[in-house]
Amino acid sequence: TSKRSLYMTKLSTDLMKTKRSLFNYPSRVTAGHHKPRSKFVADMLFGILASGSTHLTEISRALREKTKPINTVDRLSRWLKQPILRSERWCHLQHMVQLLPERPIILVDDTDIVKPRGRCFESMARIRDGSCSSDKKAVIGNGYLCTEMVAVTKETAHAVSLYSHIHSPAEAGYKSTNVETYKGLNDVMMVLPKPATFVFDRGHDQDELFGYFSDEQTNAGKHTFIIRLKSTRLLTKDASGIGGWKCVSDWANRYKGTYRFAVQRWDSEKSKVRDSVVYVTAIRVRTRASAVMQSLLLVYRDNQAPMFLLTNADVQSKEACRRIVLAYHMRWRIEEYFRFKKQCYGFEDFRVRSLARIRHLNHLLTLALGWLGMMIEKSKSPSHAAYALLRQAKAIRETVTFYYYRLFNGVYILFRQARTGMRGFFQPRARPDPQMTMEQWQRMIA
């Protein structure tokens, strides 16, 4: 009996510490707003984390309110229809930036949200299904596009989202995916205190993006970019362009690799990180988008086609080449972040149908995952609530590369023991005495 009593006491302490930490985060994000807004954000974050779902019915059950679940679903649905407050995005960005190193690495990519059986969702478009498509055949389905920008944290090198926006080519006034990407880049660059390194995949191999980062008159000119090029990209080693233009695949056939070093790459088939050896050669080239000379890294890998990385960083040594290649290989974190977001919280299985509600739900899920990223950064401290969450997960392996899954299990197991949601952290507003004068009431609420 005494052991069980001690266990229940420890469980109650861990639960209260974790709920307090979760309450403090949305309170800071919604600072300056009225209390109903703060309560809604806190309820949604707790409901998403406690249920492991984005279904409003599951979230309402996790809140354990005294009202009927249908009434809670209606309340949450009405709030989701409200526009996303820009101040909330700004506060979330400010908190995430505090977790980043001196020279942050920001990974930029687009993902698809496919609704194969959806019929009544607003502005649903025909998009490429990345999970079913291959290099030889593209599978088209109904759904939306999501532009995501995640940064690598300082302590644990985990991915935290700085920007996440869902858009659809079928919505009114839609221009292009590139326009949505530039909106996100501008928002992120405005909040970054120092220059950062932005990493892009082959889908962003375009002259417009090269010119965007080459413009010294804008905020983007001080940042570094790393873009993986397609094999058909034309480049020249002559600054004037008179020397002729060649495909990067032709340049790869002329070199064999100057530097050799080991990197960690993501094995998509095994879903794990593997050690690999690469050989790298760096040459100075220029594109048609800008007359500025840039660095092209030819990366030779075992039993694979060469990889071509273009960057505006000054690459003149082996260590500089190594930093560029390692920064690009960190892209597996954003791919696993997408997988975690869809598998653990079922984001592709949301049931809200209007585009405003879908975007608001994605915003709240981003806040919840941002809180998880903050907890991972503190997970090595035994006195912090995150340490207890990892212990609750009861994992088999001691150390892993990606702690989001383990923290998800710990939060789900711990919050499942809660008898109430977040309503106990909000003090009820005092009711006025019918005999009280207006002056007395104003003094009481002052």
Side-chain angles (χ1 to χ4, degrees):
T1 305
S2 60
K3 289 184 178 180
R4 179 170 178 79
S5 177
L6 290 174
Y7 171 76
M8 295 303 295
T9 302
K10 182 64 175 175
L11 182 66
S12 300
T13 302
D14 294 342
L15 180 59
M16 184 55 63
K17 289 173 61 177
T18 307
K19 289 178 68 175
R20 171 62 65 179
S21 175
L22 178 61
F23 169 76
N24 290 336
Y25 177 63
S27 298
R28 294 193 297 265
V29 172
T30 60
H33 303 305
H34 54 287
K35 186 181 291 186
R37 175 70 187 182
S38 301
K39 292 178 65 176
F40 163 71
V41 175
D43 285 345
M44 285 295 296
L45 265 59
F46 178 85
I48 291 173
L49 295 170
S51 64
S53 174
T54 52
H55 294 178
L56 294 186
T57 52
E58 298 295 332
I59 294 173
S60 64
R61 293 190 183 101
L63 294 179
R64 303 181 186 275
E65 295 183 346
K66 296 181 181 180
T67 59
K68 294 181 179 180
I70 186 62
N71 296 333
T72 304
V73 171
D74 290 341
R75 175 175 64 87
L76 298 178
S77 181
R78 288 195 302 269
W79 274 104
L80 284 177
K81 191 178 181 180
Q82 302 295 323
I84 303 173
L85 300 179
R86 188 171 180 81
S87 59
E88 287 185 8
R89 291 182 182 271
W90 188 262
C91 291
H92 170 73
L93 273 171
Q94 294 286 350
H95 284 90
M96 295 300 103
V97 166
Q98 297 176 7
L99 307 178
L100 307 186
E102 186 75 14
R103 182 83 184 194
I105 297 176
I106 299 175
L107 313 173
V108 184
D109 201 359
D110 297 325
T111 186
D112 53 86
I113 302 172
V114 181
K115 307 291 290 184
R117 302 186 183 276
R119 295 294 181 271
C120 300
F121 293 91
E122 180 186 359
S123 300
M124 193 164 52
R126 301 289 290 173
I127 62 172
R128 181 180 181 271
D129 188 352
S131 59
C132 299
S133 301
S134 62
D135 296 336
K136 298 181 180 179
K137 181 180 179 181
V139 178
I140 307 300
N142 297 326
Y144 301 91
L145 298 173
C146 181
T147 299
E148 196 93 28
M149 300 181 189
V150 305
V152 181
T153 58
K154 175 172 54 178
E155 299 294 335
T156 60
H158 273 67
V160 291
S161 180
L162 301 181
Y163 180 85
S164 181
H165 179 65
I166 293 178
H167 48 93
S168 170
E171 61 180 311
Y174 185 84
K175 294 184 178 180
S176 66
T177 306
N178 298 336
V179 173
E180 302 296 334
T181 302
Y182 295 135
K183 289 180 181 178
L185 289 173
N186 293 333
D187 289 348
V188 172
M189 289 177 181
M190 285 180 61
V191 77
L192 291 176
K194 294 183 179 180
T197 300
F198 289 83
V199 183
F200 301 86
D201 204 8
R202 282 174 291 188
H204 295 87
D205 179 8
Q206 48 191 289
D207 291 336
E208 187 178 358
L209 190 61
F210 301 148
Y212 176 81
F213 280 96
S214 301
D215 190 0
E216 298 292 341
Q217 305 297 327
T218 62
N219 193 27
K222 64 180 182 180
H223 297 281
T224 302
F225 71 82
I226 302 173
I227 302 177
R228 184 178 178 180
L229 301 179
K230 299 177 182 178
S231 58
T232 56
R233 165 62 59 177
L234 295 177
L235 300 173
T236 180
K237 295 180 65 175
D238 190 357
S240 61
I242 302 177
W245 299 84
K246 295 183 180 180
C247 292
V248 289
S249 56
D250 296 336
W251 293 111
N253 296 330
R254 299 178 59 182
Y255 300 91
K256 296 183 179 180
T258 307
Y259 307 117
R260 176 186 182 275
F261 44 80
V263 297
Q264 287 186 333
R265 66 177 183 86
W266 179 249
D267 189 347
S268 58
E269 296 182 357
K270 300 292 185 179
S271 295
K272 61 185 298 185
V273 177
R274 291 184 176 275
D275 294 331
S276 177
V277 176
V278 297
Y279 299 85
V280 181
T281 295
I283 58 177
R284 298 291 289 177
V285 297
R286 58 157 291 203
T287 64
R288 295 182 184 274
S290 174
V292 179
M293 298 296 290
Q294 296 167 342
S295 299
L296 172 65
L297 273 65
L298 306 173
V299 183
Y300 303 90
R301 304 169 293 175
D302 296 336
N303 301 325
Q304 289 183 335
M307 186 170 60
F308 317 109
L309 303 180
L310 186 69
T311 177
N312 58 349
D314 188 13
V315 181
Q316 296 182 354
S317 63
K318 179 180 179 179
E319 183 60 27
C321 291
R322 183 175 180 272
R323 285 198 301 267
I324 298 299
V325 176
L326 290 180
Y328 180 80
H329 277 79
M330 286 185 179
R331 273 191 46 81
W332 71 265
R333 288 168 170 80
I334 190 171
E335 300 291 345
E336 195 65 19
Y337 180 85
F338 288 148
R339 182 178 179 180
F340 168 73
K341 187 176 179 180
K342 294 178 181 180
Q343 286 191 353
C344 291
Y345 292 99
F347 186 64
E348 281 189 313
D349 194 30
F350 56 78
R351 303 297 171 84
V352 293
R353 292 180 294 181
S354 68
L355 191 56
R357 289 186 174 94
I358 294 172
R359 285 171 172 165
H360 207 156
L361 186 62
N362 178 60
H363 167 67
L364 294 170
L365 179 57
T366 302
L367 295 183
L369 298 186
W371 176 78
L372 287 180
M374 295 173 62
M375 298 294 281
I376 292 176
E377 286 294 283
K378 304 295 183 181
S379 60
K380 296 183 180 180
S381 175
S383 61
H384 200 270
Y387 190 83
L389 291 176
L390 296 180
R391 187 175 64 250
Q392 287 288 340
K394 300 179 182 179
I396 298 176
R397 298 175 59 185
E398 183 66 24
T399 58
V400 292
T401 312
F402 199 79
Y403 275 92
Y404 270 108
Y405 295 101
R406 184 171 298 182
L407 199 62
F408 162 78
N409 290 330
V411 171
Y412 179 77
I413 294 173
L414 187 63
F415 281 179
R416 192 172 54 184
Q417 312 296 328
R419 296 183 178 180
T420 60
M422 304 297 292
R423 66 175 183 268
F425 289 91
F426 292 91
Q427 296 296 329
R429 190 170 184 175
R431 295 185 177 181
D433 188 352
Q435 306 298 328
M436 188 180 298
T437 63
M438 181 60 69
E439 294 180 358
Q440 292 174 336
W441 167 247
Q442 291 177 351
R443 283 198 302 270
M444 186 184 74
I445 65 176

